[in-house]
Amino acid sequence: MSVPHFRSSDASASSPITFQILQQKKQAGHPIVALTAYDYATARLVDEAGVDLILVGDSLAQVVLGYDSTLPVTVDEMLHHTRAVRRAVRRALVAADMPWGSYHLTVEDALANAVRFIKEAGAQAVKIEGGVARAELVERLTAAEIPVIGHLGLTPQSIHRMGGYKVQGKTPAAIGALLHDAHTLEAAGAAALVLEGMPRETAARITAEVGIPTIGIGAGPDCDGQILVFHDLVNLSFSPPAKFVRRYGDAAALFRSAVETYRRDVEARAFPADAESYHLSSEVAASLADPEN
Ligand code: KIV
Protein backbone atom coordinates (compact mmCIF):
# COMPACT_ATOMS: atom_id res chain seq x y z
CA MET A 1 0.00 0.00 0.00
CA SER A 2 1.30 3.46 -0.84
CA VAL A 3 1.20 5.79 2.17
CA PRO A 4 2.64 9.11 0.95
CA HIS A 5 0.87 11.30 3.50
CA PHE A 6 1.86 9.49 6.64
CA ARG A 7 4.80 11.53 7.86
CA SER A 8 3.36 13.36 10.83
CA SER A 9 6.33 15.73 10.87
CA ASP A 10 5.55 16.93 7.36
CA ALA A 11 2.19 18.50 8.17
CA SER A 12 2.06 20.96 5.32
CA ALA A 13 2.48 18.21 2.76
CA SER A 14 -0.57 16.24 3.78
CA SER A 15 -4.31 16.58 3.46
CA PRO A 16 -6.73 16.71 6.40
CA ILE A 17 -6.70 13.60 8.56
CA THR A 18 -9.74 11.35 8.47
CA PHE A 19 -10.64 8.15 10.28
CA GLN A 20 -9.95 6.34 7.00
CA ILE A 21 -6.36 7.61 7.15
CA LEU A 22 -6.04 6.51 10.79
CA GLN A 23 -7.35 3.09 9.78
CA GLN A 24 -4.81 2.88 6.95
CA LYS A 25 -2.08 3.86 9.39
CA LYS A 26 -3.01 0.96 11.62
CA GLN A 27 -2.93 -1.42 8.67
CA ALA A 28 0.40 -0.06 7.45
CA GLY A 29 1.92 -0.12 10.94
CA HIS A 30 2.50 3.66 10.97
CA PRO A 31 2.04 5.09 14.49
CA ILE A 32 -0.81 7.55 14.99
CA VAL A 33 0.22 10.70 16.86
CA ALA A 34 -2.43 12.20 19.12
CA LEU A 35 -2.35 14.96 21.72
CA THR A 36 -4.87 17.00 23.65
CA ALA A 37 -5.40 20.73 23.10
CA TYR A 38 -7.88 23.06 24.71
CA ASP A 39 -7.45 26.52 23.21
CA TYR A 40 -6.60 28.36 19.99
CA ALA A 41 -2.88 28.93 20.63
CA THR A 42 -1.97 25.41 21.72
CA ALA A 43 -4.19 23.83 19.08
CA ARG A 44 -2.38 25.81 16.38
CA LEU A 45 0.99 24.64 17.67
CA VAL A 46 -0.14 21.05 17.94
CA ASP A 47 -1.73 21.06 14.48
CA GLU A 48 1.23 22.79 12.85
CA ALA A 49 3.56 20.22 14.44
CA GLY A 50 1.79 17.54 12.44
CA VAL A 51 -0.18 15.70 15.12
CA ASP A 52 -2.85 13.47 13.53
CA LEU A 53 -5.57 13.56 16.14
CA ILE A 54 -6.34 16.41 18.55
CA LEU A 55 -8.55 15.54 21.48
CA VAL A 56 -10.30 18.29 23.39
CA GLY A 57 -10.10 16.12 26.47
CA ASP A 58 -12.18 16.53 29.59
CA SER A 59 -8.78 16.58 31.31
CA LEU A 60 -9.19 20.31 30.70
CA ALA A 61 -11.28 20.20 33.89
CA GLN A 62 -8.01 19.69 35.77
CA VAL A 63 -5.23 21.24 33.68
CA VAL A 64 -7.13 24.31 32.46
CA LEU A 65 -9.96 24.87 34.93
CA GLY A 66 -8.26 23.68 38.12
CA TYR A 67 -10.82 21.10 39.26
CA ASP A 68 -9.49 18.05 41.09
CA SER A 69 -11.12 15.53 38.73
CA THR A 70 -12.78 15.52 35.32
CA LEU A 71 -16.25 15.13 36.82
CA PRO A 72 -17.34 18.78 37.23
CA VAL A 73 -16.72 20.00 33.66
CA THR A 74 -19.95 20.74 31.76
CA VAL A 75 -21.05 20.32 28.16
CA ASP A 76 -21.07 24.10 27.71
CA GLU A 77 -17.50 24.40 28.99
CA MET A 78 -16.36 21.57 26.70
CA LEU A 79 -18.12 23.21 23.74
CA HIS A 80 -16.45 26.55 24.48
CA HIS A 81 -12.98 24.97 24.34
CA THR A 82 -13.79 22.75 21.36
CA ARG A 83 -14.83 25.82 19.33
CA ALA A 84 -11.52 27.52 20.09
CA VAL A 85 -9.58 24.43 19.02
CA ARG A 86 -11.67 24.03 15.88
CA ARG A 87 -10.88 27.60 14.82
CA ALA A 88 -7.15 26.80 14.99
CA VAL A 89 -6.93 23.42 13.31
CA ARG A 90 -6.44 22.90 9.58
CA ARG A 91 -5.16 19.34 9.30
CA ALA A 92 -5.64 17.19 12.38
CA LEU A 93 -8.82 15.31 13.13
CA VAL A 94 -10.58 17.03 16.05
CA ALA A 95 -12.42 14.91 18.60
CA ALA A 96 -14.11 16.13 21.77
CA ASP A 97 -14.67 14.34 25.04
CA MET A 98 -18.26 14.09 26.18
CA PRO A 99 -18.10 15.02 29.86
CA TRP A 100 -19.39 12.86 32.67
CA GLY A 101 -23.18 13.09 32.97
CA SER A 102 -23.70 14.10 29.34
CA TYR A 103 -24.21 10.52 28.10
CA HIS A 104 -25.19 8.59 31.21
CA LEU A 105 -28.90 9.41 31.51
CA THR A 106 -30.77 8.39 28.35
CA VAL A 107 -29.56 7.58 24.85
CA GLU A 108 -31.73 10.42 23.49
CA ASP A 109 -30.13 12.89 25.88
CA ALA A 110 -26.66 11.62 24.92
CA LEU A 111 -27.47 11.91 21.19
CA ALA A 112 -28.66 15.49 21.65
CA ASN A 113 -25.47 16.38 23.53
CA ALA A 114 -23.25 14.70 20.93
CA VAL A 115 -25.01 16.57 18.12
CA ARG A 116 -24.06 19.84 19.84
CA PHE A 117 -20.36 18.91 19.68
CA ILE A 118 -20.58 18.40 15.92
CA LYS A 119 -23.04 21.16 15.01
CA GLU A 120 -22.12 23.94 17.45
CA ALA A 121 -18.41 23.27 18.00
CA GLY A 122 -17.23 21.64 14.77
CA ALA A 123 -15.86 18.46 16.34
CA GLN A 124 -15.47 15.57 13.93
CA ALA A 125 -15.95 12.86 16.54
CA VAL A 126 -16.82 12.41 20.18
CA LYS A 127 -15.10 10.24 22.76
CA ILE A 128 -17.00 8.42 25.47
CA GLU A 129 -15.68 6.28 28.30
CA GLY A 130 -16.82 2.73 29.04
CA GLY A 131 -17.27 -0.68 27.48
CA VAL A 132 -20.28 -2.89 26.86
CA ALA A 133 -22.52 -0.48 28.76
CA ARG A 134 -21.94 2.03 25.94
CA ALA A 135 -22.58 -0.35 23.03
CA GLU A 136 -26.12 0.82 22.31
CA LEU A 137 -25.05 4.45 22.48
CA VAL A 138 -22.09 3.87 20.15
CA GLU A 139 -24.46 2.21 17.69
CA ARG A 140 -26.95 5.09 17.83
CA LEU A 141 -24.28 7.77 17.51
CA THR A 142 -22.69 5.96 14.59
CA ALA A 143 -26.10 5.62 12.93
CA ALA A 144 -26.49 9.39 13.40
CA GLU A 145 -23.19 9.87 11.46
CA ILE A 146 -21.23 10.80 14.56
CA PRO A 147 -17.92 8.93 14.71
CA VAL A 148 -17.20 7.63 18.19
CA ILE A 149 -13.89 6.98 19.91
CA GLY A 150 -14.28 4.52 22.79
CA HIS A 151 -12.14 4.73 25.93
CA LEU A 152 -11.28 1.63 27.94
CA GLY A 153 -9.14 0.71 30.92
CA LEU A 154 -8.45 3.47 33.43
CA THR A 155 -11.42 5.69 32.65
CA PRO A 156 -11.04 8.85 34.77
CA GLN A 157 -14.79 9.51 34.86
CA SER A 158 -15.10 6.23 36.85
CA ILE A 159 -12.79 7.46 39.61
CA HIS A 160 -15.30 6.78 42.38
CA ARG A 161 -16.14 3.27 41.15
CA MET A 162 -12.46 2.43 40.61
CA GLY A 163 -11.49 3.88 44.01
CA GLY A 164 -8.82 6.11 42.47
CA TYR A 165 -6.78 6.26 39.29
CA LYS A 166 -5.70 2.63 39.19
CA VAL A 167 -4.15 0.59 36.41
CA GLN A 168 -6.81 -1.77 35.01
CA GLY A 169 -6.69 -5.07 33.12
CA LYS A 170 -4.13 -6.82 35.30
CA THR A 171 -5.80 -10.20 35.90
CA PRO A 172 -6.94 -12.81 33.38
CA ALA A 173 -10.58 -12.00 34.20
CA ALA A 174 -10.01 -8.25 33.81
CA ILE A 175 -8.16 -8.79 30.53
CA GLY A 176 -11.03 -10.94 29.27
CA ALA A 177 -13.54 -8.24 30.21
CA LEU A 178 -11.52 -5.56 28.43
CA LEU A 179 -11.25 -7.71 25.30
CA HIS A 180 -15.00 -8.23 25.39
CA ASP A 181 -15.50 -4.45 25.78
CA ALA A 182 -13.18 -3.72 22.87
CA HIS A 183 -14.82 -6.23 20.53
CA THR A 184 -18.29 -5.04 21.51
CA LEU A 185 -17.47 -1.38 20.86
CA GLU A 186 -15.89 -2.27 17.53
CA ALA A 187 -18.98 -4.25 16.54
CA ALA A 188 -21.15 -1.31 17.60
CA GLY A 189 -19.29 0.93 15.15
CA ALA A 190 -16.59 2.69 17.19
CA ALA A 191 -14.02 4.31 14.91
CA ALA A 192 -11.09 3.98 17.34
CA LEU A 193 -10.33 3.13 20.95
CA VAL A 194 -8.31 4.98 23.57
CA LEU A 195 -6.63 2.45 25.88
CA GLU A 196 -5.61 4.09 29.14
CA GLY A 197 -3.76 2.83 32.21
CA MET A 198 -3.29 -0.86 31.51
CA PRO A 199 -0.34 -3.23 31.26
CA ARG A 200 1.53 -3.14 27.98
CA GLU A 201 0.64 -6.80 27.38
CA THR A 202 -3.09 -6.16 27.79
CA ALA A 203 -3.06 -3.22 25.38
CA ALA A 204 -0.98 -5.19 22.88
CA ARG A 205 -3.50 -8.02 22.94
CA ILE A 206 -6.46 -5.67 22.40
CA THR A 207 -4.59 -3.88 19.61
CA ALA A 208 -3.84 -7.17 17.87
CA GLU A 209 -7.41 -8.41 18.17
CA VAL A 210 -9.44 -5.39 17.06
CA GLY A 211 -9.54 -4.03 13.54
CA ILE A 212 -9.89 -0.38 14.58
CA PRO A 213 -6.97 1.82 15.69
CA THR A 214 -6.03 1.87 19.37
CA ILE A 215 -4.48 4.98 20.88
CA GLY A 216 -2.61 4.35 24.11
CA ILE A 217 -1.93 6.48 27.17
CA GLY A 218 -0.14 4.64 29.92
CA ALA A 219 -0.70 1.48 27.89
CA GLY A 220 2.75 0.80 26.47
CA PRO A 221 4.28 1.14 23.02
CA ASP A 222 2.34 -1.56 21.16
CA CYS A 223 -0.84 0.44 20.54
CA ASP A 224 -1.49 1.81 17.05
CA GLY A 225 -0.88 5.33 18.36
CA GLN A 226 -0.10 7.36 21.45
CA ILE A 227 -1.78 10.28 23.16
CA LEU A 228 -0.65 12.50 26.02
CA VAL A 229 -2.14 15.49 27.80
CA PHE A 230 -0.55 18.62 26.32
CA HIS A 231 0.08 20.17 29.74
CA ASP A 232 1.94 17.03 30.90
CA LEU A 233 4.12 17.05 27.78
CA VAL A 234 5.28 20.64 28.39
CA ASN A 235 5.25 20.66 32.22
CA LEU A 236 2.27 22.88 32.81
CA SER A 237 0.09 20.54 34.83
CA PHE A 238 1.43 21.41 38.32
CA SER A 239 1.40 17.81 39.49
CA PRO A 240 4.05 15.11 39.70
CA PRO A 241 4.06 13.30 36.36
CA ALA A 242 2.57 9.82 36.14
CA LYS A 243 4.94 6.97 35.22
CA PHE A 244 3.83 7.06 31.58
CA VAL A 245 4.42 10.80 31.04
CA ARG A 246 7.50 11.98 29.23
CA ARG A 247 8.15 15.72 29.49
CA TYR A 248 9.37 17.14 26.22
CA GLY A 249 9.70 20.72 27.40
CA ASP A 250 9.45 22.96 30.44
CA ALA A 251 6.89 25.63 29.68
CA ALA A 252 6.45 26.33 33.40
CA ALA A 253 10.11 27.36 33.71
CA LEU A 254 9.94 29.37 30.49
CA PHE A 255 6.75 31.22 31.45
CA ARG A 256 7.86 31.78 35.06
CA SER A 257 11.14 33.31 34.01
CA ALA A 258 9.46 35.52 31.36
CA VAL A 259 6.86 36.81 33.84
CA GLU A 260 9.43 37.40 36.60
CA THR A 261 11.69 39.31 34.20
CA TYR A 262 8.70 41.41 33.08
CA ARG A 263 7.82 42.19 36.71
CA ARG A 264 11.38 43.25 37.47
CA ASP A 265 11.53 45.42 34.35
CA VAL A 266 8.27 47.22 35.18
CA GLU A 267 9.37 47.78 38.78
CA ALA A 268 12.71 49.18 37.54
CA ARG A 269 10.97 51.34 34.88
CA ALA A 270 12.94 49.38 32.29
CA PHE A 271 9.75 48.53 30.45
CA PRO A 272 8.48 49.98 28.22
CA ALA A 273 11.43 51.62 26.51
CA ASP A 274 11.05 54.70 24.35
CA ALA A 275 11.22 52.45 21.25
CA GLU A 276 8.19 50.59 22.58
CA SER A 277 6.18 53.83 22.98
CA TYR A 278 3.99 55.75 20.53
CA HIS A 279 4.89 59.39 19.81
CA LEU A 280 3.07 62.48 18.70
CA SER A 281 3.97 63.77 15.26
CA SER A 282 6.64 66.48 15.38
CA GLU A 283 4.03 69.12 14.29
CA VAL A 284 1.65 68.26 17.11
CA ALA A 285 4.50 68.05 19.60
CA ALA A 286 5.78 71.47 18.48
CA SER A 287 2.34 73.05 18.63
CA LEU A 288 1.79 71.72 22.14
CA ALA A 289 5.20 73.10 23.15
CA ASP A 290 4.31 76.56 21.72
CA PRO A 291 2.95 78.74 24.59
CA GLU A 292 0.76 80.63 22.00
CA ASN A 293 -1.34 77.46 21.54
O1 KIV B 1 -9.28 13.85 28.72
C1 KIV B 1 -8.21 13.40 28.27
O2 KIV B 1 -7.22 14.11 28.19
C2 KIV B 1 -8.19 12.01 27.85
C3 KIV B 1 -6.90 11.29 27.58
C4 KIV B 1 -7.12 10.06 26.84
C5 KIV B 1 -5.81 12.00 26.98
O3 KIV B 1 -9.21 11.43 27.75
Side-chain angles (χ1 to χ4, degrees):
M1 186 190 318
S2 163
V3 285
H5 297 315
F6 284 176
R7 272 197 311 134
S8 297
S9 56
D10 191 6
S12 60
S14 58
S15 45
I17 299 294
T18 61
F19 277 108
Q20 288 72 19
I21 291 176
L22 299 187
Q23 186 65 44
Q24 288 165 13
K25 281 192 145 199
K26 174 178 177 103
Q27 274 143 15
H30 291 267
I32 295 163
V33 185
L35 194 59
T36 68
Y38 315 100
D39 60 28
Y40 181 85
T42 55
R44 271 201 73 154
L45 294 173
V46 171
D47 189 43
E48 289 170 11
V51 166
D52 299 313
L53 170 67
I54 294 181
L55 173 70
V56 187
D58 61 353
S59 49
L60 75 82
Q62 290 159 288
V63 297
V64 176
L65 301 179
Y67 292 118
D68 63 2
S69 78
T70 58
L71 301 183
V73 73
T74 65
V75 169
D76 285 336
E77 286 168 328
M78 291 298 301
L79 290 171
H80 173 78
H81 287 274
T82 305
R83 282 189 207 102
V85 168
R86 183 64 274 174
R87 286 191 283 270
V89 174
R90 296 283 169 274
R91 174 183 174 271
L93 190 71
V94 175
D97 255 337
M98 293 191 66
W100 178 73
S102 70
Y103 59 96
H104 302 78
L105 306 180
T106 65
V107 169
E108 273 59 41
D109 182 53
L111 271 167
N113 284 324
V115 164
R116 293 190 68 194
F117 278 95
I118 311 296
K119 197 183 273 296
E120 295 177 31
Q124 292 156 291
V126 295
K127 177 165 81 57
I128 60 177
E129 297 184 4
V132 287
R134 306 285 170 250
E136 184 194 352
L137 177 57
V138 171
E139 219 168 285
R140 293 284 301 278
L141 290 167
T142 307
E145 316 300 351
I146 300 176
V148 184
I149 300 177
H151 185 159
L152 298 174
L154 191 172
T155 46
Q157 293 176 8
S158 320
I159 180 172
H160 298 315
R161 178 179 56 72
M162 292 183 306
Y165 298 116
K166 294 184 176 151
V167 173
Q168 306 290 303
K170 296 203 287 191
T171 64
I175 296 166
L178 280 175
L179 282 167
H180 181 53
D181 284 337
H183 284 296
T184 306
L185 291 185
E186 180 179 18
L193 295 175
V194 165
L195 304 181
E196 177 166 358
M198 63 181 71
R200 171 180 181 167
E201 298 79 5
T202 306
R205 175 116 186 250
I206 296 171
T207 300
E209 286 199 16
V210 296
I212 52 177
T214 63
I215 318 280
I217 175 164
D222 307 307
C223 299
D224 298 308
Q226 297 293 328
I227 186 165
L228 281 176
V229 168
F230 178 87
H231 289 55
D232 289 341
L233 186 96
V234 299
N235 189 26
L236 266 187
S237 46
F238 297 95
S239 56
K243 177 187 172 88
F244 61 81
V245 169
R246 189 182 296 177
R247 282 184 171 155
Y248 285 87
D250 193 351
L254 184 75
F255 289 174
R256 190 170 277 124
S257 136
V259 174
E260 282 173 5
T261 307
Y262 165 72
R263 177 181 57 76
R264 280 196 296 272
D265 279 357
V266 171
E267 287 171 353
R269 298 201 180 280
F271 175 84
D274 188 57
E276 290 156 330
S277 308
Y278 296 105
H279 289 277
L280 294 173
S281 67
S282 45
E283 292 78 21
V284 175
S287 74
L288 288 176
D290 183 346
E292 295 293 301
N293 283 317

